[in-house]
Amino acid sequence: RVALVTMVGSLCPVTLGHVGSFIEARRILLGLDGVPRPARLEQFDACIGFFRLNSDGHVQMKMKQKGDHPLRAMERGHCIKLATRTHDWLGLSVRTRGQEEMVRQWPNLQFVKFSLNGADDVARYQKWGQATRTHRLITMGRPGNTEKVMAGMKKAKINPDDGFFIMGPELPDISSTRLRGLLQNGRS
């Protein structure tokens, strides 16, 4: 059984926080290092992670609203390749249907798909309500938003032990917005 974990976003630019989210998701899914995992989450033999980029048009509009200059998809993809080069299980997916192609290519493997998000995005769009057996979510905590997600899960009566909505640990706040600001000011 193979867990396919995907994060879709602007990733302008990707940060070590994004990569760390995948590392923590993998630890949970594979049960590495004694990390706590949902009681009814099935066992996985492998985990593959994919970054998928939002379109240049979407990123340009988002950055314009913030007064920032966007990176093109090619540049964002290059940054992802650099950030993931030491993780052979994690990389950039440039194909919209890449996961479906994998499933077809290896029909004897059982793939289970997960979407990976930060708690800020999940809280903003109340994504806990989207979690089902066939649409699974992994959310990494972020300062100021973890509690909102936990409250939303409780209100929606989502049982974290089912493994449909997995709440990961709270990670340090390493945002692309903050990184862009530092880079524009000549710091990193």
Side-chain angles (χ1 to χ4, degrees):
R1 189 172 294 148
V2 180
L4 295 178
V5 182
T6 303
M7 177 186 286
V8 179
S10 299
L11 302 159
C12 189
V14 67
T15 69
L16 294 178
H18 295 119
V19 174
S21 293
F22 274 100
I23 291 169
E24 289 301 322
R26 182 175 183 262
R27 289 179 68 227
I28 293 167
L29 292 168
L30 299 180
L32 301 178
D33 306 322
V35 69
R37 58 194 314 271
R40 289 178 290 285
L41 180 65
E42 61 267 63
Q43 294 296 315
F44 292 96
D45 301 301
C47 177
I48 301 171
F50 295 104
F51 283 103
R52 284 216 7 246
L53 297 171
N54 286 336
S55 71
D56 278 343
H58 174 82
V59 175
Q60 286 173 348
M61 186 171 44
K62 181 178 175 181
M63 295 300 116
K64 186 176 182 179
Q65 290 172 347
K66 294 181 176 196
D68 289 339
H69 299 285
L71 296 172
R72 294 186 320 266
M74 185 177 73
E75 296 164 321
R76 291 180 285 136
H78 181 70
C79 289
I80 289 169
K81 289 176 185 174
L82 292 174
T84 61
R85 70 177 179 246
T86 60
H87 305 287
D88 61 358
W89 55 272
L90 177 60
L92 175 65
S93 175
V94 294
R95 297 181 179 172
T96 306
R97 302 275 180 222
Q99 289 184 351
E100 287 78 11
E101 290 174 18
M102 269 185 137
V103 171
R104 276 195 309 274
Q105 189 171 357
W106 289 288
N108 296 327
L109 292 178
Q110 182 181 1
F111 293 96
V112 179
K113 300 176 187 176
F114 292 86
S115 295
L116 178 61
N117 287 279
D120 54 331
D121 188 60
V122 172
R124 183 180 307 117
Y125 299 108
Q126 299 181 6
K127 290 185 177 182
W128 51 79
Q130 300 173 9
T132 66
R133 177 179 295 285
T134 58
H135 185 251
R136 298 189 188 196
L137 303 173
I138 302 174
T139 300
M140 290 301 148
R142 289 200 54 188
N145 289 286
T146 304
E147 302 79 21
K148 294 174 189 174
V149 173
M150 298 298 286
M153 288 174 65
K154 186 175 182 177
K155 186 176 179 181
K157 297 184 173 132
I158 294 172
N159 187 337
D161 278 329
D162 288 338
F164 305 152
F165 187 100
I166 300 170
M167 190 70 211
E170 190 164 282
L171 300 177
D173 191 15
I174 307 172
S175 76
S176 294
T177 302
R178 184 162 185 261
L179 179 56
R180 282 192 308 276
L182 291 170
L183 291 170
Q184 288 172 0
N185 292 324
R187 300 185 336 222
S188 60

